[in-house]
């Protein structure tokens, strides 16, 4: 019978294995929903002093018997490891503090800590400094943002007093696209497997079936299947804050589509991008050429009076107020921020900070980041520009020094180099910059995860819109790229850069809530 062909049999077997594998992977994904993971386990928890549980005094000699406070002391060996499938960078830790993780020893007090690691991972030790947040206080131990390659680990030997052996020990912290979890393995140096034996067997069998099926199909038909790509040229303009996402997605699209499409990223600010698109559309309409091959990204909605521009909601972008490290403050109220940008605060000591003159480092009028800041935080426009170089006051009548720069990168570099400076930026770029730190607003951190989870009312955020002039043809490069960006592989890039895609379940709700229309 024709349906008993080799191709059909392999296809049926692949389908069955696919159903089984899907069930297994759904189960696995529900248990381990993210790929970046830090695991921890207590490899030793022994009494030095009196063993309260057994009701007897442990024999001691030397320092253990001579040093005061050892009667109820315990030694804990805590192993911390990257047991996920991806490496972990410093920027993957999501907490707003300088350090990355916090070890909590319930009922006990940390007295001393020693760090050890395998001989082939000496680079780990460079991060255990006070400057990177390594410290302890009370029952907590602050652990720096240590980069860990897949399989890397380090150990903390902690001397404690008070409490008893077996009291709860927790590791607290967060990872972008990942989790921190306790490991159940009790053996000292055993690495827990990432996949079970059953999962590996299913994966091997499914892969073999797919390879055989693909070989049969290729042998019968040399025509490659379509992948939904479009050819031509396309210009992406607008938001400089969203430019890193656009560059990476454009590169991936060109690579996935064989290099035939040519996508240029040329960003000069949200307002400038909207104007460029409107002008290109008007010229195309006069020439009867339809929708031009231009897409403008904007931090927030377009200005009124441009009905020809069609919007596509792409992501929720989070922005941050940043200050030079010398300022020291970590939180400001919204009212204090408004006083700063009205020129009422001239020195940081007026807000409980150091004796430093305030320098307002702002973006130019074309910036969507600035417009979001004015709309969502200030509730009004910024005061007039008073300085060209951000250092000297060119207008002697101005209340404070305020300058305007052309890009997010320039703002971050200037704030980092100028004591007393404050500015604003897209969150992911701010988190990677050195010499400055972001501010909480009314106690809420600039955190995509907190906003996504509904635990934060942080106001400095906005929808990222992609605008086209009218509706481009379905088979055009503009239409294909927008689908790729907002609903295809571009979503992974959007999330990697610290934004929340609108077409995820959580993103759909947030994009609808924040939409001013």
């Amino acid at each position: 019978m024709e349906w008993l062909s080799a191709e059909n049999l392999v296809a049926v077997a692949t389908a069955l294995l696919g159903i089984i594998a899907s069930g297994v992977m759904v189960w696995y994904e529900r248990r381990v929903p993210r790929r970046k993971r830090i695991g921890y386990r207590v490899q030793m928890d022994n009494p030095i002093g009196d063993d309260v549980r057994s009701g007897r005094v442990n024999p001691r000699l030397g320092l253990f018997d001579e040093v005061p406070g050892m009667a109820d002391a315990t030694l804990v060996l805590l192993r911390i490891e990257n047991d996920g499938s991806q490496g972990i960078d410093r920027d993957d830790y999501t907490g707003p503090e300088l350090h990355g993780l916090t070890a909590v020893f319930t009922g006990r007090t940390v007295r001393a800590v020693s760090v050890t690691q395998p001989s082939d991972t000496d680079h780990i030790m460079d991060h255990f400094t006070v400057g990177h947040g390594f410290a302890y206080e009370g029952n907590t131990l602050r652990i720096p943002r240590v980069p860990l390659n897949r399989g890397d680990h380090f150990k903390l030997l902690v001397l404690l007093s008070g409490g008893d052996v077996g009291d709860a020990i927790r590791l607290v912290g967060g990872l972008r696209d990942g989790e921190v979890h306790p490991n159940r393995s009790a053996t000292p140096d055993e690495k827990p497997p990432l996949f079970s034996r059953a999962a590996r067997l299913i994966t091997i069998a499914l892969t073999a079936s797919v390879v055989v099926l693909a070989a049969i199909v290729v042998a019968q038909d040399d025509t490659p299947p379509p992948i939904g790509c479009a050819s031509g040229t396309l210009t992406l303009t607008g938001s400089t804050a969203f430019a890193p996402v656009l560059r990476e997605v454009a590169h991936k699209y060109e690579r996935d589509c064989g290099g035939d499409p040519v996508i240029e990223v040329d960003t000069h600010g949200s307002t400038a991008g909207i104007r460029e698109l409107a002008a290109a559309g008007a010229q195309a309409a006069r020439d009867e050429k339809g929708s031009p091959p231009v897409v403008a990204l904007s931090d927030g909605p377009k200005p009124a009076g441009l009905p020809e521009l069609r919007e596509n909601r792409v992501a929720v972008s989070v922005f941050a107020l940043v200050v030079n490290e010398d300022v020291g403050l970590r939180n400001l109220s919204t009212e204090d921020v408004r006083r700063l940008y009205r020129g009422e605060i001239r020195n940081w000591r007026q807000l409980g900070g150091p004796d430093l003159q305030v320098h307002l480092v702002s973006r130019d009028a074309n910036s969507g980041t600035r417009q979001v800041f004015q709309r969502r935080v200030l509730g009004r426009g910024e005061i007039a520009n008073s300085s060209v170089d951000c250092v000297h006051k060119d207008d002697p009548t101005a209340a404070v020094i305020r300058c305007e720069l052309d890009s997010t990168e320039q703002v971050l570099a200037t704030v980092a180099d100028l004591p007393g400076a404050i500015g604003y930026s897209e969150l992911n770029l701010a988190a990677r910059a050195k010499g400055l730190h972001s501010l909480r607003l009314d106690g809420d951190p600039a955190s995509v995860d907190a906003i996504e989870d509904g635990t934060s009312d942080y106001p400095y955020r906005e929808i990222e819109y992609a605008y086209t002039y009218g509706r481009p043809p379905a088979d055009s490069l503009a239409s294909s790229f927008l689908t790729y960006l907002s609903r295809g592989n571009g979503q992974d890039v959007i999330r990697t850069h610290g934004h929340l895609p609108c077409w995820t379940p959580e993103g759909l709700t947030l994009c609808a809530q924040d939409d001013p229309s």
Side-chain angles (χ1 to χ4, degrees):
M1 297 176 66
E2 186 175 346
W3 66 272
L4 287 175
S5 65
E7 179 181 352
N8 288 345
L9 290 175
V10 174
V12 171
T14 302
L16 291 175
L17 281 173
I19 294 173
I20 297 172
S22 297
V24 172
M25 293 311 294
V26 166
W27 171 81
Y28 179 79
E29 288 295 330
R30 289 178 70 88
R31 290 191 59 192
V32 188
R34 293 166 178 167
R35 294 173 292 178
K36 293 180 180 178
R37 302 199 309 170
I38 285 182
Y40 67 97
R41 42 184 157 158
V42 177
Q43 294 188 305
M44 181 181 72
D45 189 357
N46 291 340
I48 294 175
D50 300 342
D51 189 345
V52 177
R53 293 190 175 186
S54 64
R56 57 187 174 83
V57 178
N58 288 339
R60 303 187 296 269
L61 287 176
L63 288 176
F64 286 160
D65 194 42
E66 299 166 2
V67 174
M70 290 294 103
D72 59 352
T74 51
L75 270 178
V76 168
L77 182 62
L78 182 64
R79 175 185 169 114
I80 299 175
E81 57 200 351
N82 178 356
D83 62 352
S85 61
Q86 292 187 357
I88 295 171
D89 297 326
R90 284 178 51 83
D91 296 329
D92 288 326
Y93 295 88
T94 58
E97 297 85 5
L98 177 62
H99 63 281
L101 301 171
T102 302
V104 180
F105 301 86
T106 304
R108 293 187 258 188
T109 301
V110 179
R111 302 291 298 275
V113 185
S114 176
V115 186
T116 63
Q117 89 295 327
S119 59
D120 58 347
T121 56
D122 290 339
H123 63 281
I124 290 177
M125 301 300 286
D126 297 337
H127 298 272
F128 283 93
T129 65
V130 174
H132 286 89
F134 186 41
Y136 63 84
E137 180 180 2
N139 69 339
T140 62
L141 169 62
R142 293 188 286 272
I143 304 169
R145 298 169 177 256
V146 180
L148 293 172
N149 296 325
R150 179 180 175 184
D152 280 356
H153 75 274
F154 58 88
K155 298 181 181 181
L156 301 171
L157 184 62
V158 187
L159 177 64
L160 304 138
S161 62
D164 193 13
V165 169
D167 286 346
I169 298 173
R170 296 181 295 113
L171 193 65
V172 181
L175 290 176
R176 182 174 289 112
D177 295 331
E179 64 174 358
V180 177
H181 70 105
N183 281 334
R184 292 187 294 271
S185 175
T187 55
D189 290 299
E190 177 186 351
K191 292 184 178 179
L194 184 60
F195 296 102
S196 67
R197 179 178 299 177
R200 291 196 296 270
L201 291 176
I202 290 174
T203 302
I204 293 171
L206 183 58
T207 302
S209 298
V210 171
V211 170
V212 172
L213 180 60
I216 294 173
V217 173
V218 170
Q220 293 181 350
D221 185 7
D222 294 331
T223 304
I227 59 174
C229 294
S231 59
T233 60
L234 177 64
T235 298
L236 305 177
T237 185
S239 169
T240 59
F242 209 65
V245 174
L246 297 180
R247 282 191 286 266
E248 185 171 343
V249 176
H251 175 72
K252 287 174 67 70
Y253 185 93
E254 290 175 338
R255 183 190 62 195
D256 292 346
C257 293
D260 181 51
V262 177
I263 303 175
E264 179 185 7
V265 179
D266 185 21
T267 57
H268 303 287
S270 296
T271 301
I274 292 293
R275 291 172 181 166
E276 180 180 343
L277 173 62
Q283 183 62 50
R286 288 192 294 269
D287 297 340
E288 298 182 354
K289 292 184 178 180
S291 180
V294 178
V295 174
L297 279 295
S298 174
D299 306 330
K302 65 182 179 181
L306 295 171
E308 303 87 356
L309 302 192
R310 179 175 176 270
E311 70 178 33
N312 301 267
R313 291 191 288 273
V314 175
V316 175
S317 293
V318 180
F319 303 86
L321 274 170
V322 294
V323 292
N324 183 275
E325 285 289 4
D326 292 342
V327 172
L329 298 176
R330 298 283 172 174
N331 177 69
L332 287 177
S333 69
T334 302
E335 180 55 35
D336 285 341
V337 174
R338 292 171 177 172
R339 292 173 62 202
L340 276 166
Y341 280 85
R342 289 197 299 261
E344 298 174 7
I345 304 297
R346 303 187 180 189
N347 192 294
W348 286 105
R349 63 186 174 186
Q350 294 175 252
L351 296 177
D355 185 10
L356 287 173
Q357 186 178 17
V358 171
H359 295 257
L360 304 178
V361 182
S362 298
R363 288 289 310 280
D364 59 88
N366 288 324
S367 165
T369 306
R370 170 178 167 177
Q371 292 167 12
V372 175
F373 178 57
Q374 294 175 159
R375 182 168 59 251
R376 298 278 188 169
V377 181
L378 297 184
R380 50 162 287 170
E382 295 189 43
I383 59 177
N385 191 25
S386 64
S387 175
V388 174
D389 61 4
C390 303
V391 178
H392 304 94
K393 188 186 294 185
D394 301 323
D395 179 4
T397 65
V400 295
I401 294 175
R402 179 182 175 275
C403 63
E404 295 182 1
L405 300 176
D406 295 334
S407 70
T408 299
E409 290 79 4
Q410 291 177 354
V411 169
L412 293 174
T414 303
V415 172
D417 292 339
L418 183 59
I422 180 173
Y424 40 76
S425 163
E426 181 269 326
L427 175 60
N428 198 50
L429 292 176
R432 297 178 182 274
K434 309 299 181 184
L436 51 79
H437 60 266
S438 61
L439 291 172
R440 290 172 175 251
L441 292 179
D442 299 317
D444 288 320
S447 167
V448 175
D449 290 339
I451 292 172
E452 182 178 4
D453 294 339
T455 59
S456 173
D457 293 324
Y458 184 76
Y460 196 7
R461 69 193 197 202
E462 186 57 279
I463 297 175
E464 194 72 31
Y465 291 89
Y467 285 100
T468 58
Y469 193 90
R471 185 184 297 273
D475 59 350
S476 67
L477 179 54
S479 180
S480 175
F481 179 81
L482 281 176
T483 300
Y484 186 91
L485 171 67
S486 60
R487 307 186 194 184
N489 293 342
Q491 290 189 87
D492 294 334
V493 179
I494 289 173
R495 186 174 285 279
T496 299
H497 283 265
H499 308 273
L500 177 63
C502 278
W503 283 90
T504 62
E506 298 82 2
L508 283 170
T509 301
L510 285 170
C511 288
Q513 290 174 347
D514 286 356
D515 186 3
S517 61

